[in-house]
């Protein structure tokens, strides 16, 4: 089938390449001419494992092309996936739908009357599809098909999804989406059909639940710090209960990125618009607990640095909000680095993939390409993004270059026994006995 993907940011670029990989002819469309040129050359504009090779392969095959023209998109295909961003509005926690609304307004005059299907993948507040559908003036059907991508695993999540949710109004829309996703459902992917409102809601509800689980175990880490209990043992014991499960029950610095923080705030704002603020009031606490972990990590750093970070040298391991990504949006690691700098520390930051993006977003910090050089003469090292490269560091070799062998493991992926045997003092949130 022929498909267009409108918006070639993170979601759109991955979706376009993966749909072409499954055999469809795909045209990716974006207003950013520089991005389009880069994608057309087979080069992804961001780091995502597996995407580069797939992009080059599908471009070379001719199944994937790119354009800046919406009229060309309308002429190319009858099915259009809407993958533009919905960032948080600067004046509130609500989602900014300007890009979604602009595409609907600009594309509609070019659509083939009654034959087109516009499929939303952007994360939007519940009720958005119902509000937008009349604006299509009968030129197209409107369905919602939310994405459930994890940065660092996006290609796998697209080609081997845990579920495909299709929020449709008509049997024709359902049939077309089933045909598009047939290669994935044939491999076992569940295909869940629902109305558009439920499809919109499932993305925000899922992310809100995951955020709640992370903040819950971080709240327990605070209790562990106060009582001498060990949060990792607590999490393991809780996760052994099949009703709870171990996934996302991972204490540490908390979540960041472009999805969970934005989505729980947008969900809260939409509930308030519906007069249901009390139903999701707990999400404000989830957000506050998450933000508090950043301050607590800085507090651990001060403790290891002798009570103050003023005039101290701090090495930060990690800039991306999560490993296997170069995304620094709402990065907890960079928030901690900036707070350490504000408290008077000289901060050097290392990351395997995200330094260019981090440098652009935080020009006041110092960025170092070599992890050992980042740690030279450091009074305290902060392990803030759980890249496997950091787990594999030699603590004895690193101890030889720092001023003081003291480290905060805010991600709980370092082996305390190994590091302490190499002469390090290691602190981790929720594990007071390690300090």
């Amino acid at each position: 089938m022929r498909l267009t993907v409108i918006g070639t940011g993170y979601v759109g670029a991955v979706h376009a390449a993966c749909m072409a990989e499954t055999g469809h002819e795909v045209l990716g469309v974006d207003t950013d001419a520089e991005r389009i040129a880069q994608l057309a050359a087979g080069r992804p504009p961001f780091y995502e494992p597996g995407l580069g090779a797939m992009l080059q392969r599908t471009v070379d095959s001719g199944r994937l092309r790119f354009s800046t023209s919406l009229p060309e998109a309308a002429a190319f295909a009858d099915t259009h996936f809407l993958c533009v961003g919905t960032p948080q509005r600067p004046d509130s926690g609500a989602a900014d739908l300007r890009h979604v609304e602009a595409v609907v307004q600009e594309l509609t005059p070019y659509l083939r009357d009654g034959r087109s299907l516009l499929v939303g993948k952007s994360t939007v507040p519940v009720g958005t599809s119902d509000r937008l559908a009349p604006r299509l003036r009968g030129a197209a059907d409107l369905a919602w098909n939310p994405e459930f991508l994890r940065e660092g695993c996006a290609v796998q999540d697209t080609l081997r999804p845990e579920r495909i949710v299709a929020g449709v109004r008509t049997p024709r829309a359902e049939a077309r989406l089933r045909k598009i996703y047939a290669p994935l459902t044939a491999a076992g992917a569940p295909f869940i059909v629902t109305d558009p409102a439920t499809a919109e809601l499932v993305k925000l509800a899922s992310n809100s639940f995951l955020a709640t689980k992370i903040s819950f175990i971080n709240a327990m880490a605070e209790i562990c710090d106060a009582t001498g209990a060990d949060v990792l043992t607590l999490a393991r014991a809780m996760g052994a209960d099949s009703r709870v499960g171990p996934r996302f029950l991972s204490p540490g610095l908390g979540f960041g990125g472009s999805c969970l923080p934005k989505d729980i705030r947008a969900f809260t704002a939409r509930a308030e618009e519906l007069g249901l603020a009390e139903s999701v009031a707990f999400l404000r606490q989830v957000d506050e607990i998450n933000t508090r972990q950043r301050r607590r990590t800085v507090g651990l750093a001060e403790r290891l640095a002798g009570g103050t970070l003023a005039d101290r040298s701090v090495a930060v391991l990690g800039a991306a909000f999560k490993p296997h990504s170069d995304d620094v949006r709402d990065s907890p690691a960079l928030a901690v680095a900036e707070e350490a700098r504000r408290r008077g520390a000289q901060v050097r930051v290392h990351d395997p993939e995200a330094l260019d993006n981090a440098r652009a977003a935080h020009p006041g910090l110092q960025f170092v390409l070599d992890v050992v050089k980042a740690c030279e003469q450091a009074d305290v090292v902060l392990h803030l993004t759980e890249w496997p490269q950091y787990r594999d560091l030699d603590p004895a070799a690193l101890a030889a270059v720092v001023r003081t062998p003291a480290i905060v493991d805010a991600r709980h992926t370092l082996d305390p026994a190994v590091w302490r045997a190499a002469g390090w003092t290691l602190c981790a949130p929720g594990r007071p006995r390690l300090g």
Side-chain angles (χ1 to χ4, degrees):
M1 294 182 65
R2 284 189 159 197
L3 316 170
T4 75
V5 175
I6 302 171
T8 58
Y10 186 83
V11 172
V14 172
H15 190 65
C18 287
M19 291 299 96
E21 180 77 358
T22 62
H24 299 297
E25 293 182 63
V26 181
L27 179 68
V29 182
D30 204 293
T31 57
D32 188 334
E34 182 178 351
R35 176 182 289 259
I36 286 297
Q38 186 174 352
L39 288 164
R43 300 192 309 272
F46 50 84
Y47 176 73
E48 176 64 32
L51 179 61
M54 178 183 294
L55 183 64
Q56 189 69 66
R57 182 167 60 248
T58 51
V59 167
D60 289 346
S61 73
R63 291 193 305 275
L64 178 58
R65 298 191 291 110
F66 294 93
S67 172
T68 59
S69 171
L70 279 178
E72 183 181 353
F76 178 81
D78 289 328
T79 303
H80 310 281
F81 284 92
L82 179 57
C83 299
V84 296
T86 54
Q88 183 177 321
R89 285 172 46 181
D91 58 342
S92 71
D96 186 342
L97 300 181
R98 285 179 297 171
H99 302 304
V100 172
E101 293 170 347
V103 170
V104 171
Q105 179 179 345
E106 294 171 21
L107 182 64
T108 298
Y110 303 108
L111 296 178
R112 303 174 190 181
D113 190 23
R115 295 167 51 190
S116 296
L117 174 64
L118 185 60
V119 185
K121 292 197 75 68
S122 303
T123 301
V124 296
V126 60
T128 298
S129 178
D130 288 343
R131 185 169 57 82
L132 292 178
R135 300 187 189 183
L136 293 170
R137 301 190 296 274
D141 198 354
L142 179 62
W144 224 264
N145 168 222
E147 54 86 12
F148 301 100
L149 305 185
R150 299 167 296 165
E151 292 196 34
C153 304
V155 171
Q156 173 184 323
D157 288 344
T158 303
L159 296 179
R160 292 181 290 279
E162 293 181 329
R163 77 283 206 198
I164 299 167
V165 176
V168 298
R169 289 179 168 79
T170 65
R172 184 175 65 89
E174 178 185 340
R176 192 175 300 183
L177 285 171
R178 284 189 182 277
K179 186 175 181 180
I180 290 168
Y181 287 120
L184 308 185
T185 56
F191 191 89
I192 302 172
V193 179
T194 184
D195 57 89
T198 303
E200 293 164 342
L201 187 59
V202 69
K203 173 62 184 294
L204 292 172
S206 295
N207 277 358
S208 295
F209 183 80
L210 296 178
T212 300
K213 199 169 183 181
I214 295 168
S215 281
F216 178 86
I217 198 60
N218 277 334
M220 295 304 99
E222 296 179 17
I223 300 295
C224 289
D225 278 335
T227 61
D230 188 296
V231 72
L232 290 191
T233 305
L234 174 66
R236 187 165 64 251
M238 289 176 61
D241 187 329
S242 61
R243 297 169 300 175
V244 177
R247 295 188 65 186
F248 280 80
L249 208 61
S250 302
L253 187 50
F255 55 81
S258 64
C259 289
L260 292 189
K262 173 181 73 75
D263 288 356
I264 63 173
R265 294 163 193 162
F267 196 15
T268 301
R270 181 58 176 147
E272 291 171 350
E273 291 173 356
L274 295 169
L276 298 170
E278 291 184 356
S279 298
V280 294
F282 69 94
L283 288 179
R284 293 198 180 277
Q285 282 294 314
V286 167
D287 200 3
E288 290 170 5
I289 291 168
N290 186 63
T291 301
R292 191 161 65 236
Q293 305 318 304
R294 305 174 186 191
R295 297 193 300 271
R296 294 183 68 232
T297 299
V298 176
L300 284 176
E302 284 185 322
R303 170 182 157 191
L304 287 185
T308 180
L309 292 177
D311 300 320
R312 299 293 196 270
S313 177
V314 175
V316 169
L317 306 185
F321 87 94
K322 66 177 293 186
H324 310 297
S325 171
D326 62 356
D327 194 343
V328 300
R329 289 173 291 181
D330 199 6
S331 165
L334 289 175
V336 169
E338 284 285 11
E339 181 59 28
R341 184 176 69 87
R342 281 191 291 268
R343 298 190 189 190
Q346 178 189 6
V347 181
R348 293 192 300 273
V349 181
H350 175 269
D351 190 280
E353 294 291 342
L355 288 189
D356 288 343
N357 289 341
R359 187 179 292 109
H362 297 267
L365 295 172
Q366 181 180 354
F367 297 94
V368 183
L369 291 172
D370 182 82
V371 64
V372 175
K373 288 189 178 298
C375 295
E376 285 181 351
Q377 297 302 303
D379 294 293
V380 61
V381 178
L382 308 183
H383 174 227
L384 304 182
T385 307
E386 60 271 40
W387 284 96
Q389 292 93 321
Y390 300 147
R391 185 180 61 243
D392 296 337
L393 285 171
D394 181 350
L398 210 60
V401 304
V402 298
R403 181 178 292 120
T404 306
I407 188 167
V408 176
D409 180 15
R411 293 300 186 181
H412 293 289
T413 59
L414 306 179
D415 187 330
V418 171
W419 283 76
R420 294 180 74 177
W424 287 79
T425 299
L426 184 147
C427 284
R431 309 193 74 193
R433 293 178 184 174
L434 295 180

